[in-house]
Amino acid sequence: MYRKTNGILDFVNSLGDLAFTFAYDSNTDGIKIFNNHAFEMNPEQVNQLVQGLTNFYGSFNKEQSLELKKKQIERELMTRASWYGSLVERKEFRKNLKKHWNFYCEICREKVSSGTHLEWWTINWRSSHMLKSSRGYEKCCSEACANQIAKEIIHNERLRVYKKNEITVED
């Protein structure tokens, strides 16, 4: 895929573990590149960087570009899902209740009662909201049942983002 040339390989090795920031230059309508030490790259370095990027990304076929886009989408989904902690939350029933309360699990319909159970599970509504889901208030009897809802939320957001990026998905 990528043909290694000594000049570019030496350039990459010389960079070490630097990170880069890009800034717009309104005078030239161009982009400046700074390293994480706030030093601007010189034109020779920028040309080597552009050549290396062109060699690598220019060698991608449509299938490779699609796979890269899918990986980026998956990383973004997992980041948003965990932004406020786990998507699935464990809740304990309060012990000082005067009157017990109950509900039926959203998935398996098992009756869950504060009189017979110590805990219940739900979807972290803040994480659910980050995934543009209207779900997130369901109560479940177990982590396994709550995980089914979490998988559905992630799957639906994946389909939405794939559609937005014109990526076809086979179910």
Side-chain angles (χ1 to χ4, degrees), residues 116-157:
T116 58
H117 292 75
L118 298 175
E119 65 187 13
W120 55 283
W121 297 81
T122 189
I123 300 297
N124 178 330
W125 67 268
R126 289 178 300 279
S127 292
S128 173
H129 180 71
M130 291 298 292
L131 293 171
K132 302 198 184 328
S133 175
S134 59
R135 299 193 77 169
Y137 299 97
E138 294 89 342
K139 297 176 181 72
C140 297
C141 66
S142 66
E143 184 176 18
C145 284
N147 279 334
Q148 286 184 40
I149 295 172
K151 285 178 186 175
E152 178 188 324
I153 290 169
I154 290 170
H155 177 73
N156 289 341
E157 178 61 1

Side-chain angles (χ1 to χ4, degrees), residues 103-110 135 138-141 149:
F103 64 89
Y104 290 91
C105 177
E106 185 74 25
I107 299 297
C108 70
R109 306 309 298 158
E110 176 186 333
R135 299 193 77 169
E138 294 89 342
K139 297 176 181 72
C140 297
C141 66
I149 295 172

